[in-house]
Amino acid sequence: MPTFHDLAHDTQLYEILSRELARQRKKLQMIASENYVSMAVLAAGASVFTNKYAEGYPDHRYYGGCENADDLEILTQGRARKLFGAEHANVQPHCGSSANMASYFSVLKPGDTILGMNLTHGGHLTHGAPVSFSGKLFKTAFYGVRKDTEYIDYEALAEIAERVKPQIIVAGASSYPRIIDFPKFREVADRCGAYLMVDMAHFSGLVAAGLFPSPVPHADIVSTTTHKTLRGPRGGMILCRKNLAKAVDEQIFPGIQGGPLLHVIAAKAVALGEALEPEFIDYQRQVLKNCQRLGTHMTDAGYRLVSGGTDTHLILIDLRPSGINGQEAQTALDMAGITANRNVVPFEKECFSIASGLRLGTPALTTRGMIESDIDVVGEFIVDALRNVRNESRLNKIRMRVEDFIQKFPIYPDLKG
Ligand SMILES: *Cc1c(COP(=O)(O)O)cnc(C)c1O
């Protein structure tokens, strides 16, 4: 087990790490893309596999001494396939973005067209944004949500696909709180002869628990991160059909990465093992119940939720009717001991660094053991802070109450810092 004592001689680093541990313990962590991994995942991530080079894949390595690396990667691939019912799994992507890059390269040529979800409607940078490699190397087109319902506009999606004839359609998002209709996406992709890729980075934990429709039967390629709802180490993963396995593997290595991060793969193995246990389903069920409760609490307090609610682990609050912007909300919450992030809402005019929305998620708080009645308390803290964004002493008082409340939900009790 890694302990902070092994770092005590490096006082500068020790001090930073201790502060980070304290921050993670005493704040209400509500960033929808974050979570707390288990001690076992932490331990695997700090293991001696960090010392090993293993370019290539099991039984086809470019270095000696890879027999244990092979066993590790085969074990991890097997757990990933089993958890998601996939034909092939590549567990080497260093992050979600590199999983997406390799996925594109495995079926597209530079200059081909990606049809992705509009960034301002919930899509991810890697789905074709001009500042991302995806928008620089490929032509792009975007679909989004309907103005009236704020659900994905599947009719417009079909029309755009028909018009631009993309080589790939990407489904999946970072701040879309609703179920996605994968059979519909498949139908649209088939009609224009495009590949269908689903980026389930945010909701893969829900998919693993059977609480969000699985994209695996419908998509040619499924990419994910492992550190969001899936509650593993920071990293990525690609699932695909057998026919694309070789192309995907070659695009991860040697295509865009060098040696795999074996220690992170070990941590992925642990997390996937945890996700295969029945308790993981209970956990994800509670994530959803907590998010429903949070949504209800915010709606009852007069806040407008984008799409009117949520089917997932996150809600997106449109702050425009409340007269504050996302930046102000994020700063105020921070002072109140609540960590969250501002987010643009569909069809808004603000820039990304101000934004008019606030995204809140329940995965991390649920890992700490919170249930609906606790979320009611959290909801009160949030509403109190949002109504007093310029009242510093009030925000400080809320923070003291948060720090008191959160002691009932200890995290990493065995870690000293
Ligand atoms: C988080 C996220 C990613 C990128 O993950 P990184 O590990 O930060 O590169 C990709 N796609 C979606 C939809 C995401 O939400």
Side-chain angles (χ1 to χ4, degrees):
M1 278 288 184
T3 75
F4 273 62
H5 292 271
D6 301 326
L7 286 161
H9 68 284
D10 188 336
T11 48
Q12 285 172 304
L13 185 67
Y14 185 88
E15 205 255 322
I16 295 170
L17 262 170
S18 297
R19 273 194 279 126
E20 177 58 13
L21 178 59
R23 187 194 67 80
Q24 293 192 13
R25 277 182 174 148
K26 72 180 185 208
K27 302 270 180 167
L28 284 168
Q29 203 308 94
M30 302 199 72
I31 293 175
S33 48
E34 291 187 6
N35 213 327
Y36 297 99
V37 299
S38 67
M39 281 299 283
V41 170
L42 269 190
S47 69
V48 292
F49 270 120
T50 197
N51 298 328
K52 188 71 197 99
Y53 242 117
E55 280 182 354
Y57 290 96
D59 297 325
H60 303 278
R61 303 285 189 189
Y62 294 85
Y63 288 83
C66 285
E67 60 274 18
N68 303 313
D70 283 6
D71 288 348
L72 168 68
E73 190 164 354
I74 289 166
L75 176 73
T76 314
Q77 290 168 341
R79 287 182 181 176
R81 285 199 311 269
K82 183 168 175 206
L83 184 63
F84 293 107
E87 289 179 12
H88 179 73
N90 187 306
V91 298
Q92 292 194 7
H94 298 336
C95 63
S97 297
S98 61
N100 286 351
M101 188 185 234
S103 299
Y104 295 147
F105 287 170
S106 66
V107 291
L108 305 181
K109 299 183 300 301
D112 281 352
T113 301
I114 298 176
L115 173 55
M117 188 157 177
N118 196 322
L119 187 61
T120 63
H121 291 204
H124 190 259
L125 285 165
T126 56
H127 298 179
V131 293
S132 147
F133 75 90
S134 57
K136 291 179 177 153
L137 299 178
F138 302 105
K139 294 199 199 81
T140 55
F142 300 96
Y143 61 89
V145 299
R146 288 172 59 110
K147 209 161 188 172
D148 52 352
T149 60
E150 293 167 313
Y151 278 61
I152 290 173
D153 189 341
Y154 293 97
E155 274 169 39
L157 166 75
E159 276 168 31
I160 300 164
E162 202 60 45
R163 185 155 38 82
V164 305
K165 301 255 184 298
Q167 276 69 40
I168 198 168
I169 299 179
V170 184
S174 302
S175 56
Y176 181 67
R178 294 297 182 179
I179 296 265
I180 298 171
D181 187 346
F182 299 126
K184 185 78 202 168
F185 267 96
R186 178 78 260 173
E187 200 186 300
V188 172
D190 284 344
R191 225 178 298 134
C192 63
Y195 285 100
L196 175 61
M197 171 174 146
V198 175
D199 178 350
M200 62 173 182
H202 254 269
F203 48 82
S204 55
L206 298 171
V207 171
L211 300 172
F212 193 101
S214 174
V216 172
H218 308 290
D220 300 289
I221 303 180
V222 175
S223 65
T224 185
T225 55
T226 46
H227 50 272
K228 298 181 182 175
T229 50
L230 197 52
R231 209 168 61 181
R234 307 200 74 73
M237 209 159 70
I238 303 172
L239 308 170
C240 66
R241 305 236 170 100
K242 276 240 165 65
N243 61 326
L244 290 175
K246 190 164 174 287
V248 162
D249 287 353
E250 282 174 0
Q251 290 309 324
I252 281 290
F253 175 85
I256 65 165
Q257 293 186 175
L261 309 176
L262 291 173
H263 56 306
V264 180
I265 292 177
K268 288 173 185 171
V270 176
L272 291 166
E274 290 173 359
L276 282 160
E277 295 294 326
E279 293 76 28
F280 191 73
I281 299 175
D282 300 336
Y283 162 67
Q284 296 293 353
R285 261 203 202 104
Q286 193 61 50
V287 167
L288 291 183
K289 282 191 208 162
N290 286 351
C291 203
Q292 284 296 324
R293 189 67 158 250
L294 182 66
T296 306
H297 192 99
M298 298 310 293
T299 308
D300 289 350
Y303 289 91
R304 192 185 90 77
L305 301 195
V306 170
S307 85
T310 177
D311 305 320
T312 66
H313 61 295
L314 68 87
I315 58 172
L316 185 58
I317 302 173
D318 177 1
L319 294 166
R320 287 172 297 184
S322 347
I324 57 172
N325 65 43
Q327 167 74 63
E328 289 169 319
Q330 182 187 313
T331 307
L333 289 176
D334 222 7
M335 288 173 73
I338 302 163
T339 311
N341 66 285
R342 62 189 183 277
N343 210 105
V344 290
V345 298
F347 305 106
E348 75 155 285
K349 302 273 181 293
E350 279 296 351
C351 59
F352 283 88
S353 55
I354 303 285
S356 298
L358 177 69
R359 190 182 68 160
L360 296 171
T362 52
L365 296 190
T366 308
T367 297
R368 293 188 75 146
M370 292 192 195
I371 59 172
E372 293 98 309
S373 49
D374 306 311
I375 295 298
D376 285 335
V377 179
V378 170
E380 280 164 28
F381 291 142
I382 294 170
V383 171
D384 197 355
L386 292 181
R387 286 183 181 155
N388 293 285
V389 290
R390 284 176 204 93
N391 185 342
E392 221 170 291
S393 71
R394 179 78 175 212
L395 295 171
N396 281 329
K397 281 206 191 83
I398 300 170
R399 190 181 65 241
M400 272 140 64
R401 286 169 57 211
V402 163
E403 287 176 10
D404 185 49
F405 168 75
I406 210 164
Q407 284 179 11
K408 280 190 286 177
F409 307 94
I411 194 85
Y412 305 130
D414 300 332
L415 273 186
K416 291 195 193 66

